[in-house]
Amino acid sequence: MNLRFWKDQSLGVKALVVAILIAAPAFFAMSGGLPQLIADRASVDAKAPVHDFDGRRLYREAFELIRDRHFMLANADKRAAFISQWEHRFDQSNELDDQKSADIAISQMVFGVGIAFDDYELPKRSSEVRQREEAVFGGIGVQVIIKGRAEAVAEVQRRRPRGLSEDDPAIKVWMTEAQRVYNLYSEITDERPLIIGADPAEGTPAKDAGLAKGDEILKIKVDGEWQSLSGSMAEEAVETLQGPIDSLVEIWIRHHDTTGDGAQIQSERSVSLKRAELTRSVVFFRELENCISYVGLTDFVSQFARSELKAALDKAVAHAQSCNGAGGLILGLRHNPGGQLQNAFAFESMLMERGVMHVIRHRVTGSDSFADQTMLLSPDQAVSVNGANGGAGSFSTVREAYVERETLTPGEFYQKALLPAQFKVIVLTDHYSASASELVAGALQSNGRALVLGDSSFGKNFGQTSFPLSWGGHDASGSPLRQLRITTFEFRPGGVSMPSGIVPDIACERYPAEPNEDPFFDTQVKAAIAKLKEQMAAQSDFELRKAEAERSHRDLNQKLMKQKRSQP
């Protein structure tokens, strides 16, 4: 979507994008823009041969995968209805003879099953998914946000009436005002320009070009012509700023400065930048007081997620050394839409020494029955049990130390825990915590490894598998252009079903920090810090009493032994 396209859209189309924008306070030219709900994904290991596009064979391939593998079609009546409706629907038409019509027909069949997370991924969408997983792209290295938006959103959130239900008239009045503010700060205007929200990192094109926090990006040159950003969405501008690595992008900026006598001056200039290879970071780390650390995860998609979390946990452990290793961790999974199941499993093993990681229930291919896979952890072993009696595919493996490479053995995948058992953990969730983030939060909660604080999670307890389609064509490298992503399994974190999402141990509404405070410290973060301090103090008191009891026991034993030795 280009800038001209956006300006030509109706208010209705823009309103749909605005509705998504409400949940996203900032947009990142480095990170790729809006967060989105990501279906939990497992991949198919076997590589099927890829052929040139054939609409009829492609439709049949997709039909058979849905019929035989879809979790919901284990029900014989639903499966029969699906077959009756879709198997021969297009046999007598020419709708499968060209790519556009065939893609429409397959999309209709996929969505006809009625599961929102199923998807037929066309070439552009498949490329976008791969880019998110690779987490490498061409950009200039700036975080951008509409000027004044963060402050306006925080202020309207502070004014939200507390302790009232969504049906309360006062809440409805507030929601109307909140919607007005969100709408006002959803489009870039001359009065509310797009600005650089933080100083660019060292080594990025933006830093090398002298761009700084607060600089306004007014125009971007598109196809040799300057295009004003006024009337566009921030996401739109981000897409334009990104592009092929080593390609050029030219922007027009306004810079504000202060003279020695305090006078405000501004200047404008064009800046030409060469897009560099950038990595989308998904882990945020911050040291807090009292040996407590905060680790936030954006999603579970990036191929670098595992190594980023490992680095953050190492920092948290080092930060706790002054407390004899007994630190506290806040794991932020708010607004985390999920991602790759493999990353979720790896994260759980980093945080858990023992317990039930999960139960995965999947449909037996082509049948009406289901099979369960249970993953168990002990400090030194990981055990996978298929079925009630440990059927085919069950295994056990020694948990290995962390290694940094793409292909892992089972023991390296379910590695030794990185976080010491004495660490206290609190997980933050909200209504946008979904999929893999629910799997991690639920496993830690069910096994008593962590308390969950915040709001109930989204409640997505089904996962999808992506199937590359053999007859959907291929790119120059031979990779398939089209994929089918369908619901194939149910996941139960810690072995516990969660049809209504993860319910927090400590319910706590989220309100912004006060205007004179660091914005990081919202009400939920403050509550988590207070709870961790309480837990750590209790643990410290317990350890002191335990040490005193051990000393008393040793003293008594020595006294008794001395008495025995003194007896004739």
Side-chain angles (χ1 to χ4, degrees):
M1 183 166 61
N2 58 40
L3 298 178
R4 293 193 187 96
F5 176 85
W6 172 254
K7 293 174 184 178
D8 291 341
Q9 297 310 298
S10 67
L11 290 176
V13 173
K14 291 185 178 182
L16 290 175
V17 182
V18 169
I20 301 171
L21 180 60
I22 289 175
F27 299 80
F28 299 88
M30 290 185 65
S31 66
L34 280 169
Q36 53 186 302
L37 197 61
I38 302 169
D40 284 299
R41 296 179 38 179
S43 57
V44 178
D45 293 331
K47 267 198 168 184
V50 182
H51 309 278
D52 291 337
F53 183 91
D54 186 316
R56 294 192 178 276
R57 288 179 171 177
L58 176 64
Y59 183 89
R60 185 70 193 181
E61 181 182 13
F63 167 80
E64 290 178 355
L65 281 170
I66 298 171
R67 179 196 64 194
D68 296 340
R69 302 294 294 270
H70 203 290
F71 190 90
M72 302 305 174
L73 297 188
N75 179 290
D77 292 338
K78 289 183 178 179
R79 188 167 65 252
F82 171 79
I83 293 171
S84 174
Q85 182 177 4
W86 296 103
E87 184 171 18
H88 301 293
R89 182 163 182 160
F90 301 101
D91 285 359
Q92 305 305 316
S93 74
N94 60 0
E95 292 183 61
L96 300 179
D97 294 338
D98 68 87
Q99 293 193 21
K100 183 177 180 180
S101 297
D103 286 338
I104 291 173
I106 295 171
S107 294
Q108 289 174 345
M109 176 171 61
V110 172
F111 299 139
V113 181
I115 303 300
F117 301 102
D118 293 342
D119 197 11
Y120 172 55
E121 295 179 354
L122 298 175
K124 183 176 186 298
R125 173 62 177 156
S126 295
S127 175
E128 290 171 350
V129 170
R130 285 196 299 271
Q131 185 183 53
R132 288 185 64 83
E133 292 173 355
E134 292 169 358
V136 175
F137 59 95
I140 63 173
V142 292
Q143 171 190 336
V144 293
I145 188 171
I146 295 176
K147 187 176 183 179
R149 185 180 190 277
E151 296 80 4
V153 169
E155 181 56 33
V156 77
Q157 289 288 354
R158 286 189 199 97
R159 295 201 300 266
R160 185 181 188 275
R162 305 195 180 200
L164 301 180
S165 70
E166 298 296 321
D167 297 327
D168 192 282
I171 289 291
K172 292 183 177 180
V173 170
W174 173 83
M175 290 180 68
T176 300
E177 171 61 12
Q179 186 66 57
R180 185 191 68 80
V181 172
Y182 290 138
N183 290 344
L184 189 65
Y185 284 91
S186 293
E187 281 193 27
I188 301 167
T189 67
D190 293 337
E191 296 77 22
R192 294 179 293 279
L194 189 72
I195 65 170
I196 297 175
D199 285 324
E202 293 291 339
T204 60
K207 184 69 173 180
D208 294 343
L211 300 186
K213 179 181 179 179
D215 284 348
E216 301 172 9
I217 302 177
L218 304 179
K219 295 182 287 187
I220 302 177
K221 188 169 282 190
V222 179
D223 297 330
E225 296 182 10
W226 285 108
Q227 296 292 318
S228 171
L229 297 186
S230 183
S232 304
M233 299 285 286
E235 181 196 23
E236 245 294 321
V238 167
E239 288 185 8
T240 309
L241 290 171
Q242 292 181 0
I245 296 168
D246 290 334
S247 63
L248 296 177
V249 60
E250 193 169 356
I251 62 176
W252 191 274
I253 68 162
R254 178 185 293 147
H255 178 74
H256 297 265
D257 211 342
T258 304
T259 63
D261 58 3
Q264 298 290 318
I265 58 173
Q266 63 182 38
S267 57
E268 297 186 12
R269 64 184 175 109
S270 65
V271 182
S272 182
L273 305 106
K274 180 184 286 189
R275 297 181 177 99
E277 180 177 292
L278 301 175
T279 300
R280 182 179 67 90
S281 178
V282 296
V283 175
F284 168 77
F285 175 82
R286 179 165 175 166
E287 287 186 2
L288 304 176
E289 57 186 304
N290 291 76
C291 298
I292 297 171
S293 296
Y294 180 96
V295 175
L297 284 81
T298 303
D299 60 53
F300 291 80
V301 178
S302 167
Q303 63 171 319
F304 304 114
R306 181 172 166 271
S307 60
E308 286 187 42
L309 181 65
K310 194 266 183 184
L313 292 180
D314 285 346
K315 290 178 182 178
V317 172
H319 180 48
Q321 289 306 306
S322 61
C323 300
N324 296 320
L329 177 71
I330 301 173
L331 183 62
L333 298 180
R334 298 177 297 184
H335 270 71
N336 184 318
Q340 294 283 1
L341 282 180
Q342 292 89 334
N343 282 336
F345 300 160
F347 284 15
E348 290 171 35
S349 70
M350 290 183 188
L351 297 166
M352 287 174 53
E353 282 203 333
R354 64 179 72 248
V356 179
M357 289 181 70
H358 55 261
V359 174
I360 301 293
R361 169 165 290 186
H362 61 89
R363 178 186 171 194
V364 177
T365 303
S367 76
D368 300 351
S369 60
F370 299 98
D372 289 348
Q373 178 199 46
T374 303
M375 178 57 69
L376 309 168
L377 290 180
S378 70
D380 298 314
Q381 281 195 318
V383 180
S384 176
V385 180
N386 283 0
N389 300 312
S394 300
F395 70 87
S396 66
T397 181
V398 175
R399 295 174 71 182
E400 304 287 351
Y402 178 90
V403 295
E404 185 57 62
R405 61 170 176 261
E406 291 184 10
T407 304
L408 304 174
T409 67
E412 293 166 344
F413 187 76
Y414 297 103
Q415 62 187 51
K416 286 183 177 292
L418 296 175
L419 201 66
Q422 65 265 34
F423 251 71
K424 300 301 180 183
V425 182
I426 288 183
V427 182
L428 300 184
T429 61
D430 62 14
H431 299 313
Y432 301 96
S433 303
S435 306
S437 60
E438 294 178 292
L439 193 62
V440 171
L444 297 177
Q445 181 190 52
S446 298
N447 288 283
R449 184 64 185 95
L451 293 177
V452 176
L453 183 150
D455 298 308
S456 296
S457 63
F458 183 85
K460 179 186 178 291
N461 56 331
F462 291 98
Q464 288 69 41
T465 301
S466 290
F467 298 91
L469 294 170
S470 302
W471 293 99
H474 54 83
D475 60 19
S477 68
S479 298
L481 290 175
R482 290 164 171 80
Q483 294 192 91
L484 185 68
R485 189 178 72 222
I486 56 174
T487 301
T488 59
F489 57 92
E490 175 192 11
F491 52 82
R492 299 179 179 183
V496 179
S497 182
M498 51 159 213
S500 301
I502 304 299
V503 179
D505 300 288
I506 304 171
C508 178
E509 292 184 280
R510 183 181 185 180
Y511 290 92
E514 294 304 317
N516 60 339
E517 293 181 319
D518 185 333
F520 174 80
F521 294 100
D522 58 52
T523 52
Q524 291 178 343
V525 171
K526 288 178 182 177
I529 292 172
K531 185 63 179 178
L532 283 173
K533 286 181 179 179
E534 176 188 320
Q535 289 181 309
M536 292 163 67
Q539 176 71 15
S540 177
D541 180 62
F542 170 76
E543 293 295 341
L544 287 173
R545 288 186 286 109
K546 180 180 177 182
E548 179 61 33
E550 290 173 349
R551 281 195 297 271
S552 298
H553 179 74
R554 285 195 302 270
D555 292 345
L556 178 60
N557 186 63
Q558 290 173 359
K559 183 177 179 180
L560 291 173
M561 291 300 296
K562 186 176 180 180
Q563 289 176 351
K564 284 186 177 181
R565 284 195 295 268
S566 66
Q567 292 175 357

